[in-house]
Amino acid sequence: MASGFLRWKSHADKLLRFNHLTMTLSAEPFNLSNSGAQAMSQQQHQRRSERMNQRFALESRHATVTIQYAFDSTSNFPQPFLASTPRFHSSFEPSLRHLPCILLLHGNEPGGFDVARWMAGGMSHAHQLMNPLMPSRFGTYSVYNVQEFGGTFNQFEGGQDEEPKYTRVKTERVGEAGTKKPRARYAEPATPFSLLSLSRPGYLETSSSHTPTFTSQATAIARLVENLRVPSVHIVAHQVAGPVALEIAALSGFRQRVRSISLIDPQLSPPGKTRRLSDRLGLLGPEWTRTRAAYSALARSSDDPYFRKIVSEICGSESIAEIEDDMAMAQLYEGISVFFSHWNMRKPGVLTDLLMWDQFDRRSWGAVKAPVQCISSTTDPDGSFQDADLAREEASKAALASIRNPPEFVRLAGSGKMLFPLGKVSGLCLDFI
């Protein structure tokens, strides 16, 4: 038993060591782009500079922050999403810069680039299922789309009329008389996405921020995107990363590069005193107890009944249906045990998240131009929102009232206490994007 635990712990060490890159960046405030500076009057620019200088007064101009990240594409996402073998290249594929980018920000229960990479794996697989013409290592074509379109796939040779050389989907009107719905005539290949997953400050190998504020964290992430030369991003954020995503979209000189924001069970208001005390008490305790508990509960096959029981509590009852229906999703869920290892490397991030609420200010969110989707969930598999669920949803609506475009609110049933049903949420985010 002990030898099995030690082997798994060594395996988790490799998973967190071999699947990422790091970049060291300046921790100075994000500079205005030329277009952004020209658009502001001199007085506005002066007032903003004064506010920024006050906010970052405690920060050294020569301070740096190291960010841990992974950069992949939906068409070539590694399987499994965390590999126990080292990478033999120290940089990402430059062509990824030219693809639409999805930036994935993890929450704090659990947190780390491995959680963001798990989210990226769900996005990649959902993208393949939604695109029947993209070859997938899990199947030549998506069975889901064959059933959805109600037709068959024939290889199209092309010809002198220069029609596109992609697979034609023969479709027909479906449904009973009077309720027929026209289906798409062609299923054109969808553009692949690049997936940027990272550890927020304080988690794993990302250094803690010198000034624990949402703005400083947003600045560091925006600077990473700029240094990677990614022209624009779609942001997907979970839990306490929601305010960070909105701060990124409000940064002058960067807000025009944010195309959309998907918030998953966002925490957009400071927690109460009882919750803060509970979170601080949760930082206590040795690392080995958490690691041992994760090994005992989750280092199992997805067919194990006890594994499914624990996953149902963590990710929701809907996740069990995804495990049963899709082998690829089952493999993604089998990897979540590593999220609860290396607690001492995640604890500074949790503490940083708690300290950020002391200087919380949502006034800048009025500058957010990007469309926003807010996914509110309930653990009830039947979709019945209890009083606590309704209160969280109303708090999110109040917090997002100041953004320029009215947000889109979506309800999700069968979610978990910490995470969410990966396939369902990935589909909702991709539909919104």
Side-chain angles (χ1 to χ4, degrees), residues 67 103 105 198 200 217-225 244 248:
I67 296 184
L103 171 62
L105 303 178
L198 53 85
R200 294 191 294 108
Q217 194 165 126
T219 298
I221 296 172
R223 196 173 293 281
L224 172 68
V225 173
V244 178
I248 294 173

Side-chain angles (χ1 to χ4, degrees), residues 114-394:
D114 48 344
V115 182
R117 194 166 174 79
W118 177 74
M119 295 165 63
M123 288 283 180
S124 175
H125 186 55
H127 183 266
Q128 291 169 354
L129 291 179
M130 296 173 67
N131 180 11
L133 302 183
M134 179 176 290
S136 167
R137 60 178 55 83
F138 309 116
T140 306
Y141 293 110
S142 166
V143 176
Y144 169 85
N145 277 276
V146 173
Q147 296 172 345
E148 174 70 15
F149 282 109
T152 58
F153 291 102
N154 286 348
Q155 186 66 34
F156 178 62
E157 300 291 344
Q160 296 181 354
D161 53 359
E162 298 183 354
E163 288 188 350
K165 293 184 178 180
Y166 49 72
T167 305
R168 174 179 293 176
V169 181
K170 292 183 178 181
T171 63
E172 55 190 34
R173 295 182 180 273
V174 296
E176 300 296 331
T179 60
K180 294 182 178 180
K181 298 181 180 179
R183 295 293 191 185
R185 182 172 179 79
Y186 297 100
E188 301 184 16
T191 303
F193 289 94
S194 61
L195 301 165
L196 177 57
S197 47
L198 53 85
S199 291
R200 294 191 294 108
Y203 288 93
L204 297 177
E205 294 188 26
T206 296
S207 57
S208 299
S209 175
H210 295 270
T211 306
T213 64
F214 289 104
T215 302
S216 64
Q217 194 165 126
T219 298
I221 296 172
R223 196 173 293 281
L224 172 68
V225 173
E226 186 173 68
N227 277 266
L228 292 175
R229 299 181 183 177
V230 175
S232 62
V233 293
H234 300 271
I235 304 178
V236 177
H238 182 223
Q239 292 177 342
V240 75
V244 178
L246 293 168
E247 288 289 342
I248 294 173
L251 286 174
S252 180
F254 193 83
R255 65 175 70 111
Q256 69 277 7
R257 297 165 69 170
V258 179
R259 297 290 181 242
S260 70
I261 304 173
S262 295
L263 305 175
I264 307 167
D265 286 326
Q267 184 179 348
L268 302 178
S269 301
K273 292 183 179 180
T274 304
R275 174 65 185 275
R276 289 195 186 192
L277 178 60
S278 175
D279 290 342
R280 286 183 177 273
L281 291 176
L283 297 175
L284 304 177
E287 177 183 284
W288 69 268
T289 57
R290 292 172 177 266
T291 306
R292 189 83 187 193
Y295 166 75
S296 300
L298 295 170
R300 302 164 180 259
S301 166
S302 59
D303 296 330
D304 190 292
Y306 187 69
F307 172 86
R308 294 195 175 192
K309 176 185 176 183
I310 300 301
V311 169
S312 177
E313 294 178 2
I314 295 173
C315 302
S317 57
E318 187 69 22
S319 62
I320 304 305
E322 295 178 356
I323 290 175
E324 294 174 347
D325 294 343
D326 194 325
M327 180 181 66
M329 292 303 300
Q331 292 175 347
L332 284 167
Y333 282 108
E334 285 178 349
I336 68 173
S337 60
V338 71
F339 302 166
F340 303 94
S341 67
H342 296 76
W343 169 240
N344 287 341
M345 297 178 65
R346 304 177 196 267
K347 189 187 299 184
V350 178
L351 181 59
T352 298
D353 289 344
L354 290 174
L355 295 175
M356 288 195 299
W357 292 112
D358 295 335
Q359 301 185 47
F360 176 63
D361 184 2
R362 66 166 68 102
R363 286 178 295 181
S364 61
W365 296 0
V368 175
K369 298 180 179 179
V372 176
Q373 172 184 239
C374 183
I375 302 175
S376 301
S377 69
T378 176
T379 56
D380 191 330
D382 297 328
S384 300
F385 269 56
Q386 306 302 320
D387 292 342
D389 302 321
L390 294 173
R392 286 194 299 268
E393 185 180 49
E394 290 301 319

